Amino acid sequence: MTKYSIFSLIRNALSYHENWQKAWRSPDPKPEYDVVIVGGGGHGLATAYYLAKECGITNIAVIEKGWLGGGNTGRNTTIVRSNYLWDESAALYDHSVKLWETMSQDLNYNVMFSQRGLLHLAHNVHDMQEIGRRGHAIYLNGIDSEFLSPAQVKEMVPFINLNCRYPVMGALLQRRGGTARHDAVAWGYARACDEMGVDIIQNCEVKGFKIDAGVVRGVETSRGFIGAKKVGVVTAGHSSVMAEMAGFRMPLESFPLQAFVSEPLKPAIDVVVMSNAIHAYISQSDKGELVIGGSGDPYISYSQRGSFDQIEHVAGPVVELYPIFSRVRMMRQWGGITDVTVDRSPIITKTPVENLYFNCGWGTGGFKATPGSGRVFAHSLANGEMHPIAAPFAMDRFYSGALIDEAAAAAVAH
Amino acid sequence: MLMIKCPWCGEREQIEFSAGGEAHIARPEKPDELTDEEWGSYIYVRKNPKGVHYERWVHSHGCGKWFNAVRHTVSDIFWDVYKIGEEPPFVPEGWDGTETRDDYNARLSAGTVTVTGAGAGTGETK
């Protein structure tokens, strides 16, 4: 595999860019693998990457129903942060942010990770108390967090309307937060995986699991049976469907979450601004588009569309907070299917079926966790024991009652 | 806008309603005797199907009454709504959620649809 560098760019420019290699192969599935990962999104590919890179397992297939990163990996608002309240979450998400910081170098692929800073606005006394509690908890966990006054917010976002319907009373800032290029994450992992011998099999739908005496033996797919010693399922919104195939149920519900991008603008907003109270978050992509998201739909659906009333629900607060954007035209709108748990924390777990592992329940905020999720899941798969960072997120927390309640930090804004 | 038929008020826009999640989950009669697994499953575990979903809604900005509905979770098309306490309607296996119940039944009576399996029949409410 050619290493991407300024020299390879120049060399290929001289030959009119006609000699670039394919970034990954499209192999036929082998009869059996050591590990089969179901789901070729960011988390699945990151799992395969860390299995191959750190766990010495390279006989891996990543099986994807559609195309790489075509699910939630390509449908989110690309926000990365780790300012979560509880110790377990702080460990997991900050592990991820640290991996983001070196990802472009590690993968030899520019994922355009930009630590531009991330603001959580507070609009009322309750919000102020929430960011106060969370900010201090985060700080104690060694994660950067700063409190800003309205004047400091105005300095960072000069055109914000502080005295809107719900006035801005303050904000929590994580300077290490930011955005990344979502497609590049999937492609970068796929290229790095392929280089280490991982088979990436697209357009291959898993139809069922072969389970003998409580032990998984492989997956039935649209391209035939593929044997596996271990199977890791990383299928986000479709995790309940996969679990049903394997004969058990999960504490999950799937909701559409939609996002919008505007026409490209000149640089206007150089931080990510989120607001839990009024359900809108906004950033500007490197192409200049405003990337806007809000809350999920209120009813279970797999429609990948999102409902009309949510558009108004998100656009209203955005225009109220940033009147300068009132004439901006929206270019695209789409929905992804988020698998939501009751405590808004993920499920990284063994299952009632031996050697079958699930990594799901990331709900509306999985993108930020892509590398960390993949790494702890890879180590759990390889060792047969859950990685210490992943262990608190096992499914049995719903039976023991040890929930990791991140509703305030995670329920809305991503 | 998704249109939902309240059994009392008729068809209204979805923003008048609040979703109440999966229907027909009975509270265990003897909670004291449940294991942690059974109790946790009752509270948190859901079918979350990709397909036909029996669910609760409340007409929160209307009559305020709860009712049940059957909806296909891929197309969001409703098969039927029914009042609390009524028997859930029978949904034929052949219904894939791409058309309303009326359209499905019209095709059925026109003979342009072949129905097989356990759901073979008229698609009428049982």
Side-chain angles (χ1 to χ4, degrees):
Chain A
M1 183 77 63
T2 321
K3 192 171 155 59
Y4 291 159
S5 67
I6 184 70
F7 304 107
S8 70
L9 188 63
I10 293 167
R11 195 166 56 247
N12 280 282
L14 294 173
S15 58
Y16 301 98
H17 294 293
E18 284 172 354
N19 297 321
W20 287 107
Q21 289 179 0
K22 278 192 176 174
W24 57 84
R25 302 160 294 136
S26 291
D28 289 325
K30 288 190 256 180
E32 198 189 40
Y33 291 92
D34 290 339
V35 177
V36 164
I37 303 292
V38 182
H43 289 233
L45 291 163
T47 306
Y49 171 76
Y50 284 107
L51 275 170
K53 188 185 172 209
E54 296 184 355
C55 305
I57 300 173
T58 53
N59 187 23
I60 305 171
V62 177
I63 300 176
E64 166 56 44
K65 179 172 75 172
W67 65 95
L68 288 188
N72 292 354
T73 302
R75 292 167 186 269
N76 61 81
T77 48
T78 77
I79 295 168
V80 176
R81 64 186 177 92
S82 61
N83 49 4
Y84 280 72
L85 173 67
W86 297 105
D87 296 354
E88 297 87 347
S89 316
L92 179 59
Y93 290 103
D94 207 51
H95 181 59
S96 234
V97 168
K98 284 173 185 149
L99 293 171
W100 277 109
E101 286 169 346
T102 57
M103 193 193 287
S104 291
Q105 289 75 26
D106 293 344
L107 297 180
N108 179 226
Y109 203 100
N110 185 5
V111 299
M112 297 161 75
F113 181 48
S114 154
Q115 291 178 297
R116 59 186 66 183
L118 179 142
L119 284 172
H120 266 129
L121 301 181
H123 301 269
N124 50 48
V125 172
H126 175 82
D127 273 1
M128 290 300 285
Q129 290 169 341
E130 191 275 317
I131 65 168
R133 180 191 184 205
R134 185 153 53 92
H136 288 300
I138 295 160
Y139 188 74
L140 290 174
N141 274 317
I143 299 168
D144 66 308
S145 67
E146 294 167 42
F147 298 105
L148 300 190
S149 66
Q152 288 170 305
V153 173
K154 187 84 181 167
E155 213 166 283
M156 291 188 82
V157 190
F159 49 74
I160 196 168
N161 176 16
L162 294 176
N163 297 312
C164 54
R165 172 72 180 80
Y166 296 102
V168 177
M169 297 174 70
L172 186 67
L173 169 67
Q174 184 180 19
R175 291 193 190 275
R176 288 161 65 234
T179 62
R181 172 93 179 103
H182 50 9
D183 292 329
V185 175
W187 299 336
Y189 274 128
R191 177 170 171 270
C193 283
D194 186 82
E195 192 175 7
M196 292 186 286
V198 175
D199 282 357
I200 294 165
I201 302 159
Q202 300 181 70
N203 297 313
C204 178
E205 183 179 358
V206 169
K207 305 270 194 190
F209 295 95
K210 188 178 176 196
I211 297 165
D212 280 344
V215 184
V216 71
R217 302 291 182 195
V219 290
E220 301 286 353
T221 75
S222 54
R223 297 182 65 178
F225 176 75
I226 302 173
K229 296 196 177 81
K230 288 180 179 174
V231 177
V233 176
V234 198
T235 52
H238 282 69
S239 297
S240 292
V241 178
M242 302 306 293
E244 193 76 36
M245 286 178 193
F248 58 93
R249 285 189 178 145
M250 309 276 306
L252 289 174
E253 290 185 304
S254 296
F255 299 94
L257 174 68
Q258 56 186 326
F260 323 88
V261 293
S262 73
E263 58 192 335
L265 308 176
K266 288 189 175 178
I269 184 165
D270 62 358
V271 290
V272 182
V273 188
M274 326 183 36
S275 169
N276 286 8
I278 58 173
H279 288 205
Y281 43 101
I282 189 165
S283 62
Q284 190 171 19
S285 76
D286 292 344
K287 273 193 286 184
E289 303 150 332
L290 298 174
V291 183
I292 298 170
S295 52
D297 280 5
Y299 51 90
I300 294 170
S301 179
Y302 289 81
S303 65
Q304 289 196 327
R305 281 196 306 267
S307 61
F308 281 127
D309 58 308
Q310 287 295 332
I311 298 174
E312 189 179 352
H313 210 69
V314 174
V318 165
V319 172
E320 181 73 18
L321 264 179
Y322 317 101
I324 193 175
F325 294 147
S326 63
R327 301 295 179 87
V328 172
R329 284 165 294 191
M330 288 298 135
M331 201 165 60
R332 290 193 306 278
Q333 171 267 356
W334 66 91
I337 303 304
T338 60
D339 45 332
V340 177
T341 57
V342 71
D343 62 358
R344 300 300 193 273
S345 286
I347 303 173
I348 310 171
T349 193
K350 295 181 181 183
T351 68
V353 180
E354 204 171 323
N355 295 338
L356 177 66
Y357 297 75
F358 268 61
N359 182 355
C360 58
W362 290 93
T364 54
F367 179 73
K368 67 174 77 68
T370 303
S373 156
R375 186 164 182 273
V376 298
F377 194 49
H379 282 267
S380 305
L381 272 167
N383 299 331
E385 281 304 318
M386 300 316 287
H387 187 280
I389 291 177
F393 295 92
M395 194 157 63
D396 59 17
R397 75 175 188 270
F398 296 95
Y399 310 130
S400 69
L403 300 182
I404 304 165
D405 185 5
E406 287 292 354
V412 177
H414 297 283
Chain B
M1 179 72 71
L2 187 64
M3 301 298 286
I4 300 175
K5 195 176 120 194
C6 170
W8 284 274
C9 309
E11 198 159 74
R12 301 292 178 86
E13 291 182 352
Q14 173 238 317
I15 48 169
E16 293 190 14
F17 299 84
S18 304
E22 187 179 327
H24 306 299
I25 300 175
R27 185 181 171 85
E29 289 191 358
K30 293 177 180 168
D32 298 349
E33 294 172 16
L34 293 190
T35 63
D36 287 350
E37 281 71 22
E38 288 165 336
W39 187 242
S41 298
Y42 160 66
I43 299 176
Y44 299 124
V45 175
R46 295 292 176 265
K47 286 180 190 158
N48 193 25
K50 187 179 187 178
V52 176
H53 189 227
Y54 291 79
E55 62 190 9
R56 302 182 304 165
W57 288 85
V58 57
H59 196 180
S60 42
H61 300 290
C63 65
K65 288 197 178 79
W66 284 88
F67 60 95
N68 291 322
V70 192
R71 180 174 55 95
H72 200 284
T73 58
V74 176
S75 64
D76 292 338
I77 289 177
F78 285 87
W79 175 261
D80 204 356
V81 294
Y82 53 107
K83 293 175 183 171
I84 298 289
E86 288 180 354
E87 281 291 304
F90 166 79
V91 180
E93 270 180 25
W95 182 62
D96 60 4
T98 54
E99 58 196 344
T100 64
R101 178 174 150 178
D102 287 346
D103 290 346
Y104 178 84
N105 282 337
R107 279 205 303 133
L108 200 68
S109 51
T112 56
V113 59
T114 323
V115 183
T116 54
T122 62
E124 282 304 310
T125 304
K126 255 188 192 170

